[in-house]
Amino acid sequence: MPFDKTVVVPLDPDATFDLVTRPERLRRWQTVAARVDLQAGGEYRWTVVPGHSATGTFSEIVPGKRVVFTWGWEGDDELPPGTSTVTVTLTPTAGGTEVRLVHDGLTDAQAVRHAEGWNHYLDRLVVAAQNSDAGPDEWAAAPDPLDELSSAEATLAVVQRVLRDVTADDMSAQTACTEFTVAQLADHLVGSITTLGGAAGAQFDDDPGKPVEIRIADLAQPALEAWRGRGLDGTVTVGPNDIPATVAAGILSIEFLVHAWDFAAATGRPAAIPEALAEYVLTLTHKIISPEGRKAVGFDDPVPAPHASDAVTRLVAYTGRRPVPAA
């Protein structure tokens, strides 16, 4: 039973094609992270929500007109990669582009579940076309259950949103980390991603000249994909030390979420941090960041925060930031 739906977006076909195929555009309405090899026979991997990644292969690409790709879910026995097909057809129409999405190869039950997902994301596609960004996706906010990997994916979504509209002028702004401007903190975060991702076997091609959100996203995607492939068992080598894999993966969530707050506070941008996610990362932080290890990771002494404060305030206070709300 196929899913078949058409929406109209207020963009020309070429801009619409970019919105449905380019990683930096997909992140504005559909994915947390995306790897795309946009050619016939090329592969893609989209982390749609934390813990759920769709993968497949492009079979047809006609820029501005049509894209066809296989679809399945990583680690899903019922609909594994390659077992269904998505066809997106773009047609110029009054006021923009008609986007028709047909998803074939689904059972009736699968079609019902995917209809819910596609309706949600096609609505967000229209909003992204109208506003350049569909805003935070409530489906990606705080996955259930939360573990070190789903938390890392969810916190990545937060920091990417904060960084999305950071300008060149913002890069010289001072952050709550007294030794770091926004630009220097971005370099620090790059180092954390590549070190922790490298511990799981990821390889990187860093380009400091990219816009900061794209730079962080392009490094975080292979890091988290490598961690998903490796899993959380055993130990990994970070620098000269072997540490539990759960600790190394957990540090990613701390880095993403605390520095999302830092970037937001420095640039006057909102940091939409779900309470449940902040509470989980606060628990990780208490487990991972020992008193003697605080300086090694760049955290000052804890700052007092009322016990009744929200989890974000308690998290940034524990990491040595003054718990003033980001703008």
Side-chain angles (χ1 to χ4, degrees):
M1 173 180 175
F3 170 83
D4 188 336
K5 181 168 180 171
T6 298
V7 297
V8 176
V9 302
L11 296 172
D12 65 47
D14 288 336
T16 303
F17 185 80
D18 286 347
L19 200 54
V20 300
T21 59
R22 304 292 181 185
E24 64 273 18
R25 299 299 181 186
L26 287 163
R27 291 195 297 272
R28 294 174 181 260
W29 64 279
Q30 187 179 21
T31 72
V32 173
R35 168 171 58 81
V36 175
D37 180 11
L38 193 59
Q39 60 179 328
E43 296 181 351
Y44 74 91
R45 181 182 187 269
W46 298 344
T47 300
V48 180
V49 296
H52 298 277
S53 294
T55 65
T57 302
F58 294 103
S59 55
E60 182 181 351
I61 297 168
V62 183
K65 294 182 178 180
R66 180 179 170 91
V67 59
V68 182
F69 48 93
T70 62
W71 176 279
W73 294 100
E74 196 172 77
D76 187 335
D77 292 335
E78 292 187 6
L79 191 67
T83 52
S84 65
T85 302
V86 175
T87 301
V88 181
T89 305
L90 309 179
T91 304
T93 190
T97 300
E98 183 181 88
V99 180
R100 182 185 180 194
L101 186 146
V102 179
H103 193 162
D104 285 305
L106 302 173
T107 66
D108 288 353
Q110 290 167 348
V112 170
R113 293 196 299 270
H114 282 75
E116 182 182 9
W118 284 124
N119 284 326
H120 174 76
Y121 285 108
L122 287 171
D123 287 348
R124 284 178 56 81
L125 170 65
V126 174
V127 175
Q130 293 168 337
N131 302 331
S132 181
D133 194 305
D137 180 7
E138 65 270 24
W139 286 13
D144 183 19
L146 271 166
D147 64 10
E148 288 84 355
L149 296 184
S150 61
S151 173
E153 291 163 347
T155 53
L156 173 62
V158 174
V159 73
Q160 287 175 163
R161 285 202 53 77
V162 173
L163 292 174
R164 189 155 295 157
D165 296 319
V166 165
T167 67
D169 290 341
D170 291 325
M171 299 301 284
S172 60
Q174 180 63 54
T175 71
C177 306
T178 55
E179 69 272 32
F180 291 146
T181 64
V182 169
Q184 291 166 333
L185 186 60
D187 287 339
H188 163 82
L189 185 54
V190 164
S192 298
I193 294 168
T194 54
T195 297
L196 295 165
Q203 297 184 341
F204 304 97
D205 182 15
D206 183 26
D207 179 0
K210 292 179 179 177
V212 63
E213 184 264 342
I214 295 175
R215 183 187 182 197
I216 295 299
D218 286 353
L219 295 172
Q221 191 283 322
L224 294 181
E225 183 174 354
W227 271 105
R228 279 289 175 192
R230 185 203 178 280
L232 294 170
D233 293 336
T235 62
V236 294
T237 301
V238 178
N241 303 311
D242 289 337
I243 63 174
T246 51
V247 170
I251 294 171
L252 280 168
S253 290
I254 299 169
E255 288 279 311
F256 288 146
L257 201 61
V258 172
H259 293 324
W261 187 93
D262 290 333
F263 289 127
T267 63
R269 284 169 172 76
I273 303 175
E275 180 74 3
L277 181 61
E279 194 72 62
Y280 180 81
V281 175
L282 177 60
T283 301
L284 286 179
T285 306
H286 281 292
K287 290 179 180 178
I288 292 172
I289 307 302
S290 64
E292 60 274 13
R294 299 180 69 84
K295 296 297 182 184
V297 295
F299 290 164
D300 292 333
D301 292 336
V303 173
H307 180 71
S309 299
D310 62 46
V312 175
T313 298
R314 286 181 282 124
L315 173 64
V316 298
Y318 184 75
T319 59
R321 280 93 171 139
R322 293 287 168 186
V324 295

